[in-house]
């Protein structure tokens, strides 16, 4: 399974757009890119998944360049409640276990 | 989607004892996953549990220490045996589901274990 690298922590202010970039240089052809959010004392929660180009849902956008060696999670207009750890995972095929990297601890300040 | 119930939510245990954590899913699933999350750390996969076969353990985890049962397609247990303070951690049960075209992992709330 491809290893991922992402910033350990980030700070932002309410109302700003936050972009978290993840590197996955040895991503395989059949790998998807998935992002999860984890609040303290809770299990991780699915945010978004994509294979290439751009994916958008009601929560976030995911940008994936043509070479797929990186991806960027974009959170529009963050609020204090978006303070959490964000994990980038590569793989995501059904039946394949999920390998979590260290994640990015996002702190949203008032 | 899948809803996962984990019990207990937390426990404080004496060293040398064992604790069994239960995981109940609201739908039938082929595989169930057990993770450990040490304080301030990411999640580490302990093992994958398939119904009707032995669990598959990741490097660094052994069946004698973390025996797993998977009696049916909606239930699994993880036992933390002969506990030491180093086993203090959050233990999470997970399943995967195809939802809206995505393969999503769903997690229980976790079991916070403190060994004293």
């Amino acid at each position: 399974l491809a290893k991922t690298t992402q910033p350990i922590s980030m700070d932002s202010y309410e109302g700003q757009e936050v972009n978290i970039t993840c590197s996955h240089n040895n991503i395989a052809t059949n790998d998807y890119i998935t992002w999860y959010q984890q609040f303290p004392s809770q299990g991780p929660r699915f945010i978004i998944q994509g294979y290439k180009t751009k994916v958008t849902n009601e929560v976030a956008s995911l940008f994936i360049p043509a070479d797929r060696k990186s991806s960027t999670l974009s959170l529009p207009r963050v609020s204090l409640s978006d303070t959490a750890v964000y994990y980038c995972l590569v793989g995501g095929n059904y039946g394949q276990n999920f390998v979590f990297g260290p994640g990015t601890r996002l702190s949203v300040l008032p | 989607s899948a809803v996962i119930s984990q019990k207990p939510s937390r426990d404080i245990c004496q060293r040398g004892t064992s604790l069994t954590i239960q995981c109940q899913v609201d739908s039938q699933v082929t595989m169930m996953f057990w993770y450990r999350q040490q304080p301030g750390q990411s999640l580490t996969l302990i093992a994958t549990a398939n119904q009707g076969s032995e669990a598959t353990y990741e490097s660094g985890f052994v069946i004698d220490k973390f025996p797993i049962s998977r009696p049916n397609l909606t239930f699994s247990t993880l036992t933390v045996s002969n506990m030491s303070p180093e086993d203090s951690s959050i233990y999470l049960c997970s399943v995967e589901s195809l939802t809206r075209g995505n393969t999503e992992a769903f997690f229980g709330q976790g079991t916070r274990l403190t060994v004293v």
Side-chain angles (χ1 to χ4, degrees):
Chain A
L1 295 173
K3 181 181 177 181
T4 60
T5 304
Q6 50 184 124
I8 295 298
S9 65
M10 293 181 68
D11 290 338
S12 182
Y13 291 95
E14 281 191 289
Q16 289 187 332
E17 178 185 78
V18 171
N19 296 308
I20 306 175
T21 297
C22 178
S23 297
H24 28 79
N25 290 318
N26 57 341
I27 188 170
T29 302
N30 62 343
D31 283 340
Y32 283 79
I33 299 156
T34 313
W35 286 79
Y36 284 81
Q37 175 192 56
Q38 186 179 28
F39 297 114
S41 302
Q42 295 187 23
R45 185 183 70 167
F46 175 93
I47 300 175
I48 197 166
Q49 185 178 77
Y51 184 80
K52 61 180 180 180
T53 62
K54 177 183 175 181
V55 180
T56 298
N57 61 22
E58 62 277 7
V59 177
S61 295
L62 178 59
F63 298 92
I64 305 169
D67 66 4
R68 303 198 331 119
K69 294 184 182 299
S70 67
S71 59
T72 299
L73 173 72
S74 181
L75 304 172
R77 297 180 299 281
V78 294
S79 64
L80 296 176
S81 62
D82 292 315
T83 294
V85 179
Y86 292 82
Y87 296 98
C88 164
L89 281 72
V90 173
N93 292 289
Y94 194 78
Q96 184 182 48
N97 65 62
F98 292 83
V99 179
F100 284 79
T104 297
R105 188 173 300 273
L106 173 66
S107 298
V108 180
L109 308 173
Chain B
S1 66
V3 177
I4 301 173
S5 301
Q6 246 184 272
K7 290 192 296 186
S9 58
R10 59 177 61 228
D11 207 342
I12 301 173
C13 300
Q14 296 289 326
R15 68 176 68 201
T17 63
S18 297
L19 175 71
T20 295
I21 302 167
Q22 299 180 5
C23 178
Q24 180 75 51
V25 189
D26 69 341
S27 58
Q28 293 185 338
V29 293
T30 304
M31 290 185 290
M32 297 178 76
F33 305 95
W34 287 98
Y35 288 85
R36 180 175 73 182
Q37 186 170 30
Q38 295 179 306
Q41 303 296 313
S42 182
L43 286 77
T44 300
L45 181 65
I46 297 172
T48 302
N50 292 320
Q51 194 267 335
S53 64
E54 291 281 338
T56 302
Y57 289 83
E58 298 299 306
S59 176
F61 298 96
V62 295
I63 188 171
D64 290 346
K65 176 66 176 178
F66 298 100
I68 288 171
S69 78
R70 183 77 201 277
N72 58 54
L73 292 173
T74 63
F75 187 79
S76 178
T77 68
L78 169 76
T79 299
V80 185
S81 303
N82 188 25
M83 289 183 286
S84 67
E86 292 70 35
D87 295 319
S88 296
S89 207
I90 298 173
Y91 293 85
L92 295 138
C93 170
S94 172
V95 302
E96 61 181 2
S97 176
L98 284 169
T99 305
R100 295 169 295 181
N102 298 312
T103 302
E104 295 185 29
F106 293 88
F107 289 83
Q109 291 288 80
T111 297
R112 183 181 294 273
L113 170 63
T114 302
V115 183
V116 298

